[in-house]
Amino acid sequence: MVGITGDFMMNRIVARRDFVKMGLLAGATMTTGGLLSACASNGEGAASQSADGLGVGSSSGANQAVQADPATPPQPVGGKVLVAYYSAQGHTRAVAERIAAATGGDIFEITPENPYSDADLDWRDDNSRVTREHDDQSLRDIVLSQVTPDAFEEYETVFVGYPVWWQMAAWPVNRFVRDNDFVRKTVIPFCTSTSSSMGSTRQTLEQLAGSGEWLDGQRFGENPQDGMVEDWVESLNI
């Protein structure tokens, strides 16, 4: 799968502006170029501006919440922590694992029931799955292998990670956000992207969720420097 840079993707967006229909999350809301900017090699960014960039292949892995296993796992502060993420090329997954290690939280991978292949994520192909989904909002309601993590009601803080695709949060996270109850939970989004910003993806996901206390969140590059993710987590005081 060939990754694409955010600048390349932005050029693609301009070229398609007259006929591309940005859908539900288009100006608001799992690679590299404007396609999938990611918010993360097997897995992350289908066509994206994200670190998961376009060269995507949905990451495989268990979709059950799995306890992180750092050498000396820290105890979560302020309740149980869950780190839920969709990753197309592995970048978002890597950040998610670092967040889980820093918080002592559990991990839940958001997995499409019909995984994306490398061909599906080829943003340069007008007939690829990710391009067709980008052009047709009705195709973005991705069925997940598991929507709600086990014992989801027990978590007080939920991180939601994704690559950025065409200025939107990668749409596999939409159903996870829409179909779960975040009442009395603090929700902290994070994304991976090669060059594009987080934009309004947080606001769009918050509106889609309709519940929870959503913080601003954070955007990371493909390979955050040592300590960058950990310093951010520490600054949250969770």
Side-chain angles (χ1 to χ4, degrees):
M1 183 78 206
V2 178
I4 57 177
T5 66
D7 290 338
F8 287 166
M9 283 306 300
M10 289 305 297
N11 290 336
R12 177 183 179 78
I13 293 171
V14 172
R16 301 173 65 83
R17 182 175 300 162
D18 293 334
F19 61 92
V20 171
K21 176 171 130 188
M22 303 298 296
L24 172 66
L25 301 180
T29 341
M30 143 163 115
T31 280
T32 344
L35 191 196
L36 304 179
S37 359
C39 239
S41 279
N42 178 49
E44 218 144 71
S48 104
Q49 296 170 326
S50 70
D52 271 340
L54 203 205
V56 191
S58 80
S59 49
S60 60
N63 57 5
Q64 300 291 326
V66 179
Q67 179 66 44
D69 187 27
T72 305
Q75 294 301 311
V77 177
K80 290 187 67 175
V81 174
L82 178 69
V83 184
Y85 72 93
Y86 168 70
S87 181
Q89 291 180 313
H91 302 103
T92 302
R93 181 195 301 113
V95 173
E97 291 173 346
R98 290 170 65 175
I99 292 173
T103 60
D106 299 334
I107 288 184
F108 176 81
E109 181 172 10
I110 299 169
T111 307
E113 190 173 87
N114 178 22
Y116 288 85
S117 67
D118 287 349
D120 288 337
L121 295 168
D122 187 356
W123 63 274
R124 296 164 300 184
D125 182 353
D126 290 342
N127 294 312
S128 71
R129 175 183 173 184
V130 75
T131 299
R132 286 184 286 107
E133 290 172 347
H134 168 257
D135 293 351
D136 185 347
Q137 174 185 335
S138 68
L139 300 177
R140 298 184 204 152
D141 189 13
I142 307 302
V143 176
L144 304 179
S145 58
Q146 180 178 342
V147 175
T148 303
D150 296 339
F152 186 63
E153 68 280 358
E154 298 179 3
Y155 295 99
E156 297 181 23
T157 300
V158 180
F159 287 83
V160 178
Y162 49 89
V164 178
W165 294 355
W166 282 296
Q167 309 301 311
M168 296 176 276
W171 34 90
V173 304
N174 293 353
R175 182 171 289 207
F176 172 81
V177 169
R178 185 194 68 199
D179 292 357
N180 281 306
D181 185 357
F182 295 92
V183 172
R184 293 186 295 278
K185 297 184 189 299
T186 297
V187 187
I188 309 172
F190 67 95
C191 68
T192 55
S193 169
T194 298
S195 61
S196 63
S197 68
M198 193 168 201
S200 58
T201 59
R202 189 270 293 173
Q203 292 89 334
T204 298
L205 292 177
E206 180 177 9
Q207 292 175 4
L208 192 61
S211 63
E213 179 184 355
W214 287 68
L215 304 188
D216 287 339
Q218 182 65 44
R219 172 263 181 193
F220 296 97
E222 291 185 350
N223 300 296
Q225 296 179 352
D226 290 345
M228 183 177 293
V229 175
E230 293 74 16
D231 288 347
W232 172 65
V233 171
E234 183 176 1
S235 72
L236 297 173
N237 294 316
I238 59 174

